[in-house]
Each structure stands twice: as structure tokens, then as C-alpha cells.
Amino acid sequence: RYLASAFDCPDIAYAEAPARIGGGRDAAIFGFALQGTPRAISGPLILRLNRSRVGADRVKLEAVVHNWLAAQQYACPDVRATGTDPLLLGGVFTVMTRLPGRPLAHAIERIVGDGPFIARARALLQVQGILGDIIDAWVDMQIRLHTLDPAPLLAAVGAGGLDPAIITFEGQLNWIVSTVDQYSLVGLKPAVDWLIAHRPSPALRTVICHGDFHPLNILAQNGKVTGVIDWGNIVIAPAEMDVGSAIANIATVPFGVPRALEFALRIFFTRILRRYQRTYAQRRVLDGDAVRYFQVFRCAYQLASVLRSRAAGGHQSGAFDSAAGVNNLVRHIRAISGVSVDETD
């Protein structure tokens, strides 16, 4: 009914009813298709229905970013409609084109998902066999993104009625600082002080960073990348932010697998991340200190998000809102910066 009204097509009907195809703690993802529609909403579509705690600015930003990237011929689904009234479906939402393919490293989903131990172990071996191809495609798509001029994107965000600071490094650092102050997260103060004192060189060139650029957010079909998804962490910052964030997120995310497989996975992903950083650095120079800095930054950002949600009495917030997730973030911050943070304060 919403789409029929928004696009003035009263005879609209489902050619393919919405079916759940994935989703995490922030949103549920549905695939569907329509008939009796104008070109703007024809073809396979995706509904990203956010949880009730997600605000309207999130979907507004998603629409601006997706459509700007698609206009630059970067492989990204374009947004066809946004719903900013949570009363419509129970949460704000976006409707976007559905890209063909599945995650570049879809076997990883079988490793960390439910299933017999043997099946998970077999999936781990399958990923190892195609690791080189995965990393090459991963780095290629990331460097393509980093060649785009960020200035027009910042202008597009402002033209969309949003504050461009929300996608800048300084803006996100200020968000961490203000969150720690507002919610009295004194246990995170040492990490905040370290981040302020160790800012990377301003001479580093800023680029468009995805913020969570890993193979599960890269879709491929028949060996070719079809697009990059999940742009909620986009930020204008040095390329080291994107590399450091990918490393930090993968190195600290809790897997929720048996201990024997957890140990093997940690070793495996450590190898992947070293090879990924080396491959990127062979194609584009990286500042190693800045990569480490942005690992601490991403961990502090994740911690601030989780603790803010808890302090505000909210529900689970993201993949790290668990004892294992928080502990992993704390350990990673300490291992790189030497700073100890206390998530209980």
C-alpha cells in the first residue's frame, strides 16, 4: 500500500512475496518483486526493515550514499524508496535494487552459523582453497572505492538535509567523546584520551571508507563481483581507516562456535588479515601506524555503541553486544595501544 501510494500505481501487486533472506540485530532483510509498477520499482528488490531503535536519519543517509555511489558507476544497490515513519512497518526502511550473487566468502557463513561440526570444518577448508581469489577481489573493490573523490559525496549528504560531519573522521571521533561524557562511560576515557593524543598525520589523503569492508559485504556471481552492501559505517577518512576497521572488526567479532573451532578460526583469520593488509599495501602505500590507530578507533567506537545502548536501557546493539564481543574489543585495544579500558564503568 505504501509503494502504491508513493509511486501512484494502484494496481501494484506482488510478483514475488517478501521472503526473509537475512539480517542482523539492526535490520531484517527481505527479497521481493512487484508487478504493475513503473520502471522505478521494477525488477528484483530488497526491503531493509530496521529495528525500532534506528532513526530516520539512518535511512536518509543510506539513500544518499547508495544512490551517489551508483551514479559513480560503483557497484552498489541504488535505493528506490525510503520510509521514515516507523508506524508504517514497525521501523524505518529502505527499498533498493537486489543485486545478483551471494557473499564473496559465503562459506564463512556456514562456518559460524548453525550446523554440524564436520560441515563447519569442511567449509573452513573450502574457504582456504580460494583464499587468494577472495582477497584479490576484496582489495580490488576497496581500492576502487578509495579512488573516488569524497568531496561530492559530502556535498550530496549536505544537500540531503543531513550534517556531513556524521560521515567524517572528526565527526565520529567527536561522537565517541560526547557519548563517553553523556553516559559517564568513564571506563572508556583512557581509550578516548589515547585516540585524541595519537591522531594520525593530517597529511594522509582522505578517501571514502566503507567502514566494514570484508568479504561478507561483497557479493559475487560466477566469479565476478556484483556489488558491495551494508554502508552503515561509511566515513571520509584516510584509507588506513578502512583497512584498520576491517582488521579490527574481523579480529574481534565473536564467532559463537565450539572452542576447538574457535581456536582454528582465530588462527585462520589472523593469516587472512595479514595477507589482506600485505596485498593492499602492495598496490597502495599504507601507513602502518595509522592502520593500528584506526583499529583502536574502530574498537572504541564499537564499545561506545554497545555501552551507550546498555546505559540507555536499549536492546542488544550490534554484533559485539555480548560478553565475548566486549571482551574481544577490550583486549584488542590493550594489545595495540597498551591502554586498559573497563567496560563496567
Side-chain angles (χ1 to χ4, degrees):
R1 290 196 298 270
Y2 171 77
L3 293 175
S5 173
F7 290 89
D8 191 23
C9 47
D11 295 330
I12 192 173
Y14 285 120
E16 176 189 336
R20 180 81 174 260
I21 60 174
R25 293 186 173 94
D26 284 336
I29 312 299
F30 299 85
F32 71 103
L34 301 167
Q35 58 188 16
T37 64
R39 180 184 295 273
I41 49 172
S42 63
L45 297 168
I46 288 290
L47 166 66
R48 180 182 174 89
L49 176 59
N50 293 279
R51 308 302 183 193
S52 58
R53 62 178 174 270
V54 177
D57 282 355
R58 168 69 177 266
V59 296
K60 291 178 182 177
L61 178 63
E62 191 171 57
V64 170
V65 169
H66 279 240
N67 292 341
W68 185 87
L69 287 168
Q72 311 312 306
Q73 307 304 310
Y74 189 81
C76 172
D78 58 317
V79 173
R80 302 299 177 86
T82 59
T84 57
D85 182 355
L87 296 180
L88 289 169
L89 296 179
V92 296
F93 62 88
T94 51
V95 174
M96 63 187 75
T97 54
R98 181 175 182 175
L99 300 177
R102 53 185 180 176
L104 193 61
H106 61 274
I108 292 175
E109 295 179 309
R110 298 202 303 272
I111 300 169
V112 300
D114 296 330
F117 178 86
I118 295 299
R120 293 180 176 188
R122 186 178 297 115
L124 179 58
L125 292 174
Q126 290 174 350
V127 172
Q128 292 188 66
I130 58 173
L131 186 56
D133 292 339
I134 291 174
I135 291 177
D136 285 343
W138 177 6
V139 170
D140 181 61
M141 290 303 297
Q142 194 169 32
I143 288 180
R144 286 190 200 179
L145 177 65
H146 294 169
T147 62
L148 298 176
D149 182 1
L153 175 58
L154 286 169
V157 170
L162 300 167
D163 181 1
I166 62 177
I167 63 165
T168 65
F169 161 59
E170 287 295 336
Q172 293 192 3
L173 179 59
N174 289 338
W175 181 87
I176 296 175
V177 173
S178 63
T179 296
V180 168
D181 289 342
Q182 180 180 355
Y183 292 93
S184 300
L185 305 177
V186 295
L188 290 188
K189 192 66 166 54
V192 170
D193 293 342
W194 186 91
L195 288 172
I196 293 173
H198 293 82
R199 276 188 177 92
S201 168
L204 291 174
R205 183 171 69 89
T206 57
V207 301
I208 300 172
C209 299
H210 179 279
D212 194 19
F213 211 116
H214 57 68
L216 291 180
N217 282 333
I218 305 171
L219 301 181
Q221 185 179 57
N222 299 324
K224 294 184 178 181
V225 171
T226 57
V228 180
I229 59 174
D230 199 0
W231 293 86
N233 293 298
I234 190 168
V235 55
I236 307 302
E240 287 80 1
M241 163 75 91
D242 226 10
V243 174
S245 292
I247 292 171
N249 286 341
I250 295 173
T252 58
V253 68
F255 294 131
V257 298
R259 179 167 295 184
L261 192 56
E262 169 88 21
F263 181 72
L265 277 175
R266 288 298 171 195
I267 294 175
F268 175 59
F269 280 109
T270 296
R271 288 179 50 227
I272 286 180
L273 293 173
R274 287 175 180 167
R275 186 169 172 179
Y276 154 66
Q277 184 173 350
R278 185 169 63 248
T279 300
Y280 188 104
Q282 288 170 349
R283 296 184 55 183
R284 187 181 186 280
V285 175
L286 283 173
D287 182 315
D289 289 338
V291 171
R292 288 185 287 274
Y293 173 90
F294 285 117
Q295 288 184 59
V296 177
F297 175 90
R298 183 55 61 194
C299 289
Y301 192 94
Q302 300 282 23
L303 268 177
S305 298
V306 169
L307 299 182
R308 175 183 182 275
S309 178
R310 292 180 180 179
H315 300 291
Q316 281 193 323
S317 177
F320 293 92
D321 195 356
S322 65
V326 168
N327 288 338
N328 288 349
L329 293 170
V330 168
R331 284 197 298 267
H332 205 71
I333 290 174
R334 184 169 58 245
I336 294 175
S337 67
V339 169
S340 295
V341 297
D342 186 351
E343 73 278 7
T344 62
D345 291 343

